[in-house]
Amino acid sequence: TAGAPAAEPGSALVRDGRSEFVILHAAAAPASVQEAAQELQRYVEKTTGAKLPIVASDTAPKLGFVSLGDTAAARAAGISARELPAEGFRLATRNGSIFIAGRDTAEREKTPEGGTSAGTSNGVYAFIEDYLDVRWLLPGELGEDAPPRREVIVPAVDRIDRPFFFNRRLPGMQNT
């Protein structure tokens, strides 16, 4: 479900194959958020050549950043995933930075229904598809379409995604 766009210009994540952005997640972020940070870093580098450093910290850097999950920077910007259903996410821009936050279960934590939730990871994959134009057509690297680009501009956005299905994974089919 799309939200109303924020009244601010877009965020220039990459220009001319270079970026001053970092990927930020909380120092104690769940494993799914840490893996999502690595995936975002990998696909930004694969498509643009710019490798964004990953910062695990509870304080926001001064430069532009992509905040993943529940961070102090996201809370300060009014970005929260508390009201989202399991597997849902929010993607928003604020003051030149990008926020992707979803409901994320910690290791050994379960949702009230007995499953897990990786909402931030779902948001990162949506971001990769929407703004980097990456497509996964078949399993494996041969089925991946990641077109090269020199620039990634993320327009002002405030989007909330709620899955149509109760759970994005089939019971008994996930490893955790």
Side-chain angles (χ1 to χ4, degrees), residues 22-26 53-61 65-69 71 73:
V22 299
I23 299 168
L24 171 71
H25 65 71
I54 297 173
V55 176
S57 176
D58 294 320
T59 57
F65 53 88
V66 180
S67 170
L68 301 183
T71 63

Side-chain angles (χ1 to χ4, degrees), residues 7-176:
E8 63 179 55
S11 301
L13 181 63
V14 177
R15 283 192 194 261
D16 297 321
R18 295 190 184 113
S19 180
E20 294 184 11
F21 274 67
V22 299
I23 299 168
L24 171 71
H25 65 71
S32 64
V33 174
Q34 294 177 40
E35 291 165 10
Q38 293 169 355
E39 285 289 273
L40 181 59
Q41 179 187 55
R42 183 167 79 86
Y43 281 105
V44 169
E45 183 176 22
K46 186 171 191 168
T47 58
T48 70
K51 186 171 185 176
L52 279 57
I54 297 173
V55 176
S57 176
D58 294 320
T59 57
K62 299 225 183 302
L63 298 174
F65 53 88
V66 180
S67 170
L68 301 183
D70 182 26
T71 63
R75 290 188 300 277
I79 308 293
S80 172
R82 277 181 277 150
E83 303 299 322
L84 296 174
E87 305 288 355
F89 65 87
R90 183 172 182 189
L91 169 62
T93 54
R94 297 284 189 279
N95 300 320
S97 290
I98 302 164
F99 297 86
I100 305 171
R103 296 266 309 272
D104 301 300
T105 50
E107 187 176 341
R108 295 190 175 91
E109 180 185 8
K110 299 291 182 190
T111 64
E113 297 79 24
T116 59
S117 181
T120 298
S121 184
N122 294 331
V124 165
Y125 282 112
F127 180 91
I128 291 168
E129 285 183 327
D130 293 348
Y131 300 104
L132 302 179
D133 296 324
V134 173
R135 300 292 181 264
W136 295 275
L137 307 170
L138 295 169
E141 197 170 319
L142 289 177
E144 181 179 274
D145 179 30
R149 54 190 313 131
R150 302 286 298 155
E151 185 173 85
V152 177
I153 306 295
V154 180
V157 64
D158 194 342
R159 168 185 169 192
I160 293 176
D161 185 273
R162 293 174 175 87
F164 291 111
F165 299 101
F166 182 65
N167 194 329
R168 292 185 195 247
R169 293 180 215 105
L170 296 174
M173 299 297 289
Q174 59 191 79
N175 294 332
T176 55

